[in-house]
Amino acid sequence: MAEQSIKPQKTIIEIEDMITVGTLAEKLSIPVGRLIAELMKNGVMATVNERIDFDTAQIIVSELGLDLVLEKATASQAVAPTRHKPSASGDAETRPPVVAVMGHVDHGKTSLLDAIRGAEVVKNEAGGITQHISAYQVEHSKRMITFLDTPGHEAFAAIREHGAQLTDIVVIVVAADDGIKPQTLEAIRFARKAGVKILVAINKVDKPEADINRVKQQLSDNGLLIEEWGGDTVIVPVSAKTKEGIEQLLDMILLIADVEDLKADINMPASGLIIEAHLEQGRGPVAQALVEAGCLQLGDSIVSGASYAKIRNLETTNGEPISAATPSMPVVISGFKTLPEFGEEFRVVKNEKTARTEAGLKAIDNRASAARMNIGSNELIRLINRDNTLKELNVIIKADVQGSLTSVIDSLKALDTDEVSVRVVGSGIGPVSENDLHLAHSSNALVYGFNVNLPSSGRQQASRDKVSVRLYSVIYELIDDAKQELSKLLSPQIVETELGRLIVKGIFKIARTEIICGGEVTKGKLTAPALGRIFRDDTQLAEVKVTGLKRGPSEAKEILEGELCGMSLETAKRLNLQEGDRVEVFTREALERQL
Ligand code: GDP
């Protein structure tokens, strides 16, 4: 029987229109060097992070003789959405885009959000840094756009990551006079990871030193290929100060929203995410939430993790009472029995009883898993080390709102190493209370307050009990302080420096703790006071202190190689020093370490 020829099917590899050399090598499972070499052979000079187009990639693959086929990924495959979004059914309706503004500190995120909103809040903020997430909607061309007011400093990465999970479009703000900074790149990475659309606002174009072209070049150097150069990243030059370009920015956001065809089903029980929660005097727990699907109504019963509410008040984030909220709307909800968790999902259930039961079950579940102590390997190493080397800084953290509290705790935990660790013995929302001070006193903890105060009665208690309370309104200053405290816990680094060697040629005095000998320096330069190790052949006999040196009859500060000298030693145990023994002279310092 003739052998049936079955051609093995070629592997199909899907890539996007533009792909970095590194990613392509990974997809082709070949060393990146081989790919770069092949590109060079074909006259294309590209480094690992540079992008090549689909056609070039195809030529290279055939040149390499690889047994596979390259295909262009379709749009839906190219953007791998990792975020959770309620799926829209057939009768879904168009919803406003949810936009987050990210970028390097001081590049003008807050100013831009204010310019869009037409409000002025930037001046009230400590250090000019937005401290917690909130959201608002603006109307443009008779359509709504939701903006998340995401914080700008890296210590808020935790919140910002949540911010990116909520968003459809990320506006990356880059100051035209400063260019791309590490946080800009971090924001781009976040946005890409979340599979959201990126739009770049080059801000501060009113400044004389603004250099838009430089920013464009930096963007494309970092893999964001801008539209006018054939890529798909839209760039809008703006000035938050003069408002130039703001209209175009909003136009472009709506255009991207149209292309993305953002929809949500409103005929289903409402659900969404908690984006802020805090306690308010007279109102109890108040949460800001973003509706993702369904229509949230006043009086609805909702569950969010172990918290639940029968919605008592529903408001826009500007404080206007409303009776219902549709997808992409940010709302303020009161009626929660306990503070819901920032970043937690919420959903409407049948009635308050169901809400209470579900939240109660979740609370039991939380307690049970806390008891099970789901320990990761790092945690395990720390626990094992607890009695030996791990040193802990006990802290109590108080903050104004849940989002900030989460961020402070996350940022402090990020300082942990195998040697030192932050242990949060207590945390909560509101001013530093007497209870906090009691707990701090009994657990030997430091109290950090973020955007909260210490009432005067507490001040007396703190000074009486010697409890250190540190109040901050700028997060990275708080983190720096904790870093300093942790550094103090690090055991010092012992540094030994060899000075020189002496061969013993004569013994002048041997007492129980003091020896005076003479000898020749065979290496280096001796100084005193210093330390010495006495060797006979290869065996170390003792460690001694070198208390003095003499050149002839007079004291000498230093003795150089080749010179003869006298040496006074102090020893802890009786030592039978002999001619021919070697003294290795060195210094030992304990250096403070920094985290
Ligand atoms: P954020 O840290 O990114 O939120 O930046 P801010 O909005 O706090 O702005 C930082 C600084 O840049 C402030 O002093 C603003 O007044 C200034 N700024 C922001 N946007 C512009 C702009 O378009 N033009 C000029 N000239 N200054 C701006």
Side-chain angles (χ1 to χ4, degrees):
M1 197 173 87
E3 208 179 288
Q4 217 177 345
S5 98
I6 303 173
K7 266 198 169 174
Q9 256 195 334
K10 287 194 174 181
T11 313
I12 297 172
I13 292 187
E14 286 179 326
I15 63 165
E16 295 160 43
D17 269 354
M18 297 294 298
I19 187 164
T20 65
V21 172
T23 314
L24 182 61
E26 210 173 286
K27 288 197 172 218
L28 300 176
S29 305
I30 60 166
V32 71
R34 186 171 162 209
L35 184 57
I36 291 175
E38 194 61 40
L39 281 163
M40 278 164 84
K41 261 200 255 165
N42 285 274
V44 181
M45 299 295 166
T47 60
V48 59
N49 292 321
E50 272 171 312
R51 299 186 352 145
I52 56 171
D53 61 20
F54 179 83
D55 293 340
T56 310
Q58 211 163 28
I59 292 167
I60 296 300
V61 165
S62 71
E63 295 275 310
L64 284 167
L66 298 175
D67 204 21
L68 45 85
V69 180
L70 279 191
E71 274 183 12
K72 269 192 203 181
T74 57
S76 61
Q77 285 158 330
V79 179
T82 51
R83 70 213 150 109
H84 162 84
K85 283 269 158 179
S87 58
S89 67
D91 51 17
E93 292 184 19
T94 299
R95 62 173 177 84
V98 179
V99 183
V101 175
M102 297 182 182
H104 194 71
V105 69
D106 275 349
H107 278 197
K109 296 174 294 296
T110 314
S111 308
L112 194 62
L113 281 162
D114 290 344
I116 293 166
R117 182 170 34 178
E120 289 255 326
V121 287
V122 68
K123 295 192 181 77
N124 305 331
E125 286 164 7
I129 290 172
T130 316
Q131 304 289 8
H132 57 86
I133 199 167
S134 63
Y136 62 84
Q137 278 196 314
V138 291
E139 196 178 326
H140 182 69
S141 304
K142 301 206 168 62
R143 291 167 65 185
M144 301 306 282
I145 303 174
T146 304
F147 280 93
L148 294 177
D149 196 346
T150 49
H153 192 268
E154 63 181 329
F156 281 93
I159 281 188
R160 201 164 47 184
E161 197 152 13
H162 280 288
Q165 299 301 319
L166 297 174
T167 30
D168 303 303
I169 300 168
V170 166
V171 173
I172 306 274
V173 179
V174 189
D177 59 339
D178 201 22
I180 285 190
K181 292 277 164 229
Q183 273 184 296
T184 321
L185 295 174
E186 190 190 77
I188 293 172
R189 272 197 300 276
F190 270 137
R192 282 193 167 151
K193 212 168 119 194
V196 300
K197 284 279 153 196
I198 295 176
L199 195 160
V200 179
I202 303 184
N203 190 31
K204 308 197 187 184
V205 295
D206 60 286
K207 285 192 144 185
E209 56 278 31
D211 188 346
I212 300 177
N213 275 330
R214 182 176 66 128
V215 180
K216 285 181 182 171
Q217 188 58 51
Q218 288 175 330
L219 287 169
S220 63
D221 287 348
N222 284 284
L224 273 193
L225 211 63
I226 65 176
E227 212 181 22
E228 65 187 275
W229 297 348
D232 59 355
T233 306
V234 178
I235 309 258
V236 187
V238 296
S239 164
K241 192 174 170 192
T242 65
K243 314 276 189 291
E244 178 191 339
I246 303 282
E247 294 285 308
Q248 288 90 314
L249 182 68
L250 298 177
D251 286 343
M252 290 318 297
I253 289 172
L254 288 176
L255 197 68
I256 293 175
D258 286 341
V259 173
E260 291 288 288
D261 196 21
L262 303 169
K263 290 206 158 120
D265 196 340
I266 61 165
N267 298 316
M268 60 185 284
S271 62
L273 277 168
I274 303 292
I275 55 175
E276 183 54 87
H278 65 278
L279 278 174
E280 221 167 85
Q281 204 135 31
R283 287 180 86 184
V286 174
Q288 281 191 35
L290 187 81
V291 180
E292 287 194 319
C295 180
L296 186 68
Q297 316 229 10
L298 193 65
D300 273 351
S301 293
I302 59 176
V303 190
S304 177
S307 303
Y308 75 98
K310 182 166 169 62
I311 302 181
R312 203 172 53 223
N313 289 303
L314 195 62
E315 295 168 0
T316 66
T317 45
N318 291 331
E320 295 153 20
I322 46 173
S323 56
T326 48
S328 296
M329 262 180 88
V331 286
V332 180
I333 299 172
S334 64
F336 275 102
K337 302 292 181 273
T338 52
L339 266 189
E341 290 249 338
F342 163 76
E344 183 86 62
E345 292 185 11
F346 76 82
R347 68 200 153 74
V348 170
V349 293
K350 202 167 64 188
N351 53 32
E352 193 174 359
K353 192 167 160 235
T354 313
R356 186 170 50 234
T357 312
E358 286 198 16
L361 286 173
K362 179 71 181 156
I364 293 169
D365 199 32
N366 285 352
R367 279 197 292 275
S369 44
R372 273 199 303 277
M373 286 220 305
N374 197 356
I375 305 169
S377 59
N378 279 347
E379 218 54 45
L380 198 62
I381 291 168
R382 288 206 186 99
L383 283 177
I384 293 167
N385 283 342
R386 179 161 280 187
D387 295 327
N388 309 326
T389 53
L390 181 75
K391 295 190 184 121
E392 288 178 326
L393 175 69
N394 286 354
V395 295
I396 291 169
I397 302 162
K398 297 302 292 277
D400 55 342
V401 289
Q402 185 66 38
S404 307
L405 185 66
T406 312
S407 292
V408 171
I409 294 176
D410 286 352
S411 308
L412 287 176
K413 292 308 287 176
L415 299 177
D416 285 3
T417 69
D418 287 345
E419 272 181 89
V420 289
S421 158
V422 174
R423 183 162 156 241
V424 181
V425 294
S427 66
I429 290 164
V432 179
S433 69
E434 283 180 25
N435 272 343
D436 299 329
L437 296 170
H438 281 308
L439 179 60
H441 184 53
S442 59
S443 57
N444 196 18
L446 269 175
V447 181
Y448 282 116
F450 182 62
N451 273 342
V452 297
N453 59 6
L454 170 67
S456 58
S457 58
R459 246 170 269 157
Q460 285 164 12
Q461 190 185 341
S463 88
R464 190 190 63 226
D465 292 346
K466 301 202 169 44
V467 172
S468 177
V469 179
R470 304 177 185 188
L471 305 176
Y472 286 96
S473 54
V474 177
I475 180 126
Y476 52 85
E477 288 177 1
L478 190 159
I479 305 304
D480 275 351
D481 186 287
K483 228 180 188 173
Q484 289 303 321
E485 289 301 323
L486 279 174
S487 297
K488 289 182 196 161
L489 297 181
L490 288 172
S491 44
Q493 187 186 1
I494 306 296
V495 178
E496 289 189 0
T497 314
E498 191 183 336
L499 298 178
R501 287 183 190 179
L502 173 133
I503 300 294
V504 176
K505 301 267 177 177
I507 313 289
F508 305 122
K509 175 181 174 188
I510 288 202
R512 218 191 84 66
T513 57
E514 194 197 5
I515 298 174
I516 300 174
C517 64
E520 184 188 347
V521 179
T522 56
K523 186 181 169 197
K525 181 173 75 180
L526 307 192
T527 57
L531 297 169
R533 289 194 184 96
I534 314 285
F535 285 89
R536 185 163 301 156
D537 301 321
D538 286 333
T539 312
Q540 183 178 329
L541 302 181
E543 187 176 303
V544 296
K545 283 184 188 161
V546 179
T547 52
L549 295 168
K550 279 191 172 175
R551 184 181 286 109
S554 30
E555 299 282 337
K557 279 214 177 75
E558 55 176 47
I559 309 286
L560 304 178
E561 187 174 330
E563 286 189 284
L564 294 171
C565 68
M567 179 184 261
S568 309
L569 305 174
E570 191 184 301
T571 165
K573 58 174 190 182
R574 184 177 285 280
L575 176 65
N576 181 25
L577 192 72
Q578 293 176 3
E579 269 181 44
D581 287 346
R582 186 170 83 243
V583 187
E584 292 190 4
V585 181
F586 66 100
T587 57
R588 183 185 287 142
E589 282 174 291
L591 296 181
E592 264 185 31
R593 283 159 62 206
Q594 287 292 320
L595 205 57

